Amino acid sequence: DLDLVVLGDVQKAARLAALKALLSEAPSGARDGVLLDMAKAAQDAGDLPAAALAWEDLSASADGAVRSLAELGQAAILTKTGDTAKALQILEKARGTASKPFLLAIDRQMAVTAEAAGDLKAALTGYERMKAESSMQNMSYIDSKIEALRAKIEAGGQKSNG
């Protein structure tokens, strides 16, 4: 029913507005939690610029696992909005500070984002890092992606985002 869809959209927007208001009053210890909720609420409401901003604010204020999560979230939103160059910059920066459990997710997102953007060398780097640092079940898939990307690069298929 269309009425339920519209009502759901109104509720999502109202939730996002309430979280924005809460953020301005939240004690410093609760700020990261509110930003995390804001990012999710903005995504649910389809407000990608607000989601990107919340993820960016969270990555600036948080550390450790929460920062890595925020950087992954921000990069995903930037990719959805077509800003793959900035998404790849964020992922590369995130990789430098992330703990080992996040490296596979960062490398996977980097590889997929770069490949979709036509940045074959960055995609190859992402897949090679995935292979070097993990013991994934589907290693043959990663190997095939690496071989295919190397062949495309050798054939002159590299496109640059710069």
Side-chain angles (χ1 to χ4, degrees):
D1 292 284
L2 186 56
D3 290 341
L4 290 176
V5 171
V6 171
L7 179 60
D9 289 345
V10 169
Q11 288 173 336
K12 290 175 186 175
R15 176 168 166 67
L16 181 57
L19 287 166
K20 285 179 181 178
L22 178 61
L23 182 64
S24 65
E25 302 168 4
S28 60
R31 184 170 163 70
D32 288 352
V34 174
L35 284 168
L36 185 59
D37 281 348
M38 276 180 62
K40 176 75 170 97
Q43 284 179 238
D44 290 347
D47 188 344
L48 298 184
L53 185 58
W55 285 124
E56 183 178 6
D57 288 350
L58 183 57
S59 69
S61 68
D63 56 11
V66 176
R67 181 179 56 220
S68 295
L69 177 67
E71 290 166 333
L72 282 164
Q74 184 184 10
I77 295 298
L78 289 168
T79 299
K80 283 183 181 180
T81 61
D83 195 350
T84 55
K86 187 171 181 184
L88 289 170
Q89 287 175 346
I90 288 167
L91 291 168
E92 192 63 47
K93 177 180 159 260
R95 196 174 194 291
T97 60
S99 59
K100 188 165 176 65
F102 282 93
L103 291 178
L104 181 60
I106 291 168
D107 291 338
R108 181 182 299 126
Q109 191 166 340
M110 182 179 291
V112 170
T113 299
E115 189 173 10
D119 188 342
L120 304 182
K121 289 180 182 175
L124 178 61
T125 297
Y127 286 116
E128 287 174 336
R129 286 174 177 169
M130 287 170 64
K131 180 177 179 170
E133 295 179 7
S134 69
S135 54
M136 297 172 50
Q137 298 285 32
N138 59 346
M139 197 57 77
S140 61
Y141 171 76
I142 301 301
D143 288 337
S144 70
K145 293 298 287 186
I146 289 170
E147 285 180 35
L149 286 166
R150 283 183 180 153
K152 284 182 182 178
I153 290 168
E154 288 175 17
Q158 171 63 31
K159 201 168 90 177
S160 174
N161 270 345

